[in-house]
Amino acid sequence: MEDNHYQLLDGKAVSAQMKKEMAEEVAQIKAAGGKIPHLAAILVGHDGGSETYVASKVKTCEEIGFKSTLIRYEDDVTEEELLRRVDELNNDPDVDGFIVQLPLPKHISEQKIIEAIDYRKDVDGFHPINVGRMSIGLPCFVSATPAGILELLKRYEIETSGKHCVVLGRSNIVGKPMAMLMMQKTYPGNCTVTVCHSRSKNLKEMCLNADIIIVALGVPEFLKADMVKDGAVIVDVGTTRMPSSVTKSGYKLTGDVKFDEVAPKCSYITPVPGGVGPMTIISLMRNTLLAGKKAIYK
C-alpha cells in the first residue's frame, strides 16, 4: 500500500474561517442599521447528542452576532403544543429561521412537525418544498450536512466534474440530498453518482471504483482500506458515541471510516471529530444569514 501523504479536509479550520467571514458581514449589517438575523431552536427532552448540538448552535450564533432563542420542552410535550409553537414562530416577524432539533419523542410525528414549518424559515432544509426545489436546482435552503460537505470540497478545490462519487447511505438528511447535489450541473457536482446502502450486494466493488466516497451510514469504522482505491477522496459523516476509558466525557466520537487504515491510501480525508461536524453547524449559520437577508425567499 503506497502512502499518498493524504491531506486532511479540516472542517474545524474551514468553519472558523467562515465564522469570521459571517461575523464581519453581520457587523456590517449592524452598522448599516439592518436587521440582525435571528435563529430560534426548539429542543424537546434531554437527549445527550441533541443537547450538545443545540448548545453548540446557540454558542455559534453568539460568536457570529446573530440573535438566538432556545425553546425547551419536556419529553411529554404534546404534538398539538409543538405545532402551536411552530405556528407562532412562523408568524413571528423577528424570527428569520428556526429549527426543531431531531429526533423527537415517539408520540410526535417528525414529518408532521417538519411540514408545519414555513419553508421560508426552514433553515434545516427538511421541508418537502426545500427538498423539492433542491432536486430541480432552484434556490432553497440546503440541509446543513450536505451543504457543509459541498463547501468543504469547494474550499479545498477538490475536482468533482466527471468523477465517480459513491454515497453510502440513503437517509433524507444526508444520503439522498448528497447524491442529488453531487449530480447537479454545478461545482461541486457533475459527478457520476452511485448510492449504496444496507441492501447493496456489490458494495465493495462500487467503493473500489469511486474517486469520492461520502460515508453516512452511522456504522462505526465500516469503510476499510480494502474498499478504497489509491488517491480517493473520503468524506466521513459518521459520528457514533463509543464508550471510552481515556476521555473525560466517557465516550469518544467514532466515524464510519477506519481512519488509520484508510487515510494512507487517500488524497484527502475528513477527520472525526473536526471534519463534517463543524461544517454542519456553520452551514446552518449560513442558512440563517441567508434567511435574515431574505436571499432565498423574498
Side-chain angles (χ1 to χ4, degrees):
M1 178 166 84
E2 61 177 295
D3 192 333
N4 280 329
H5 300 297
Y6 63 88
Q7 194 178 342
L8 278 185
L9 293 170
D10 189 341
K12 207 172 159 189
V14 171
S15 67
Q17 176 59 31
M18 289 173 70
K19 184 157 52 174
K20 201 167 141 271
E21 291 164 12
M22 282 191 268
E24 282 164 12
E25 192 171 340
V26 171
Q28 286 168 0
I29 292 171
K30 226 174 220 163
K35 182 186 181 308
I36 301 302
H38 181 180
L39 175 70
I42 295 179
L43 177 59
V44 178
H46 300 276
D47 173 78
S50 295
E51 292 267 4
T52 308
Y53 291 138
V54 171
S56 187
K57 289 166 185 177
V58 170
K59 182 170 163 268
T60 311
C61 277
E62 280 164 21
E63 290 166 348
I64 294 172
F66 293 163
K67 188 173 162 186
S68 70
T69 304
L70 175 56
I71 301 157
R72 300 194 71 126
Y73 286 106
E74 289 305 315
D75 269 319
D76 59 3
V77 64
T78 63
E79 188 178 83
E80 194 182 29
E81 167 58 26
L82 217 47
L83 287 167
R84 197 193 56 72
R85 199 53 181 266
V86 165
D87 188 54
E88 211 173 276
L89 292 169
N90 284 340
N91 291 303
D92 183 342
D94 193 60
V95 173
D96 297 299
F98 68 96
I99 62 165
V100 179
Q101 185 66 41
L102 305 178
L104 290 169
K106 292 280 173 275
H107 66 279
I108 296 169
S109 158
E110 290 187 352
Q111 203 49 40
K112 205 167 173 182
I113 302 296
I114 287 168
E115 291 189 30
I117 297 170
D118 182 339
Y119 69 91
R120 292 162 300 195
K121 294 189 178 192
D122 165 42
V123 284
D124 257 339
F126 294 159
H127 193 286
I129 290 181
N130 279 313
V131 178
R133 289 177 64 100
M134 181 200 70
S135 75
I136 57 177
L138 290 175
C140 64
F141 293 118
V142 174
S143 64
T145 300
I149 292 168
L150 289 184
E151 191 64 34
L152 202 52
L153 296 174
K154 195 187 204 157
R155 297 218 176 199
Y156 278 90
E157 297 176 2
I158 306 283
E159 256 187 77
T160 59
S161 188
K163 301 288 186 194
H164 182 203
C165 173
V166 166
V167 178
L168 295 181
R170 52 179 162 180
S171 73
N172 290 338
I173 292 176
V174 186
K176 280 182 200 163
M178 209 60 239
M180 200 82 83
L181 291 160
M182 292 304 277
M183 71 168 93
Q184 302 270 30
K185 286 187 185 173
T186 48
Y187 174 76
N190 273 320
C191 287
T192 302
V193 180
T194 305
V195 181
C196 299
H197 44 76
S198 57
R199 293 288 181 274
S200 303
K201 290 270 190 285
N202 51 348
L203 200 138
K204 187 174 162 181
E205 290 73 31
M206 290 289 187
C207 291
L208 280 168
N209 262 311
D211 304 301
I212 300 166
I213 307 179
I214 298 165
V215 201
L217 292 166
V219 181
E221 304 190 328
F222 177 88
L223 193 76
K224 314 276 197 291
D226 64 359
M227 300 167 78
V228 177
K229 76 173 179 188
D230 280 323
V233 174
I234 307 288
V235 177
D236 186 351
V237 186
T239 45
T240 306
R241 294 170 155 225
M242 302 290 277
S244 164
S245 52
V246 290
T247 58
K248 203 166 66 214
S249 60
Y251 69 86
K252 73 183 211 344
L253 285 181
T254 308
D256 288 355
V257 176
K258 203 163 171 47
F259 185 92
D260 296 341
E261 158 186 312
V262 171
K265 299 184 82 169
C266 297
S267 53
Y268 294 88
I269 185 168
T270 57
V272 175
V276 174
M279 293 305 300
T280 295
I281 290 189
I282 207 70
S283 298
L284 174 68
M285 298 302 137
R286 148 103 36 101
N287 279 350
T288 301
L289 183 56
L290 292 170
K293 299 197 301 191
K294 304 270 186 280
I296 308 274
Y297 302 113
K298 297 293 166 269

